[in-house]
Amino acid sequence: MAADVLDATFAALADPTRRAILARLMEGEATVTELAAPFTMSQPGISKHLRVLERAGLVSRGRDAQRRPCRLEAAPLKEAVDWLAGYRSYWEESYRRLDALLDELGHEGPDAPERETP
């Protein structure tokens, strides 16, 4: 994934209103009016958020007669998840090392018999 696409995806996801819009669009297409309903902001305010989501490739707008429904485009989200997955192995290995250390320390706790030092 190109760095600018990844940057745009994470920038778009940084705002809670945009995340809420994406969550709503997971249920299906919606117009700007429908997307604006749960928020205390104007339709132009929602439209600004939609433009950010569109630039990131997370939302597209269609045309259905007079309606211009918005729809979720999940491909950039998959690419972001794939990018994050690379860090999963790092954290899994870190947790394995921590578990090993805790197991080792558990055997050397205050009630453990004293060891003789060579």
Side-chain angles (χ1 to χ4, degrees):
M1 167 186 269
D4 56 339
V5 174
L6 192 60
D7 291 346
T9 299
F10 283 117
L13 294 174
D15 185 273
T17 300
R18 291 192 286 268
R19 291 192 305 271
I21 290 170
L22 292 176
R24 166 52 186 89
L25 291 175
M26 283 183 4
E27 299 171 11
E29 295 181 349
T31 64
V32 175
T33 304
E34 293 166 339
L35 291 171
F39 300 102
T40 58
M41 69 174 64
S42 64
Q43 284 186 8
I46 292 295
S47 291
K48 286 181 183 181
H49 285 293
L50 286 170
R51 281 193 293 278
V52 171
L53 292 167
E54 282 181 288
R55 280 194 300 271
L58 294 167
V59 168
S60 64
R61 294 191 203 201
R63 185 172 296 277
D64 180 18
Q66 296 290 346
R67 286 182 77 230
R68 296 233 12 202
C70 300
R71 72 182 55 84
L72 175 66
E73 300 294 339
L77 293 173
K78 166 100 171 70
E79 292 181 34
V81 166
D82 291 346
W83 181 83
L84 288 168
Y87 290 95
R88 181 182 187 115
S89 62
Y90 167 81
W91 286 109
E92 287 173 348
E93 177 57 30
S94 295
Y95 287 132
R96 275 193 289 278
R97 287 193 316 266
L98 179 59
D99 285 343
L101 177 62
L102 291 173
D103 284 345
E104 183 180 317
L105 292 174
H107 296 294
E108 297 175 4
D111 296 334
E114 283 192 34
R115 289 189 199 178
E116 292 183 27
T117 52

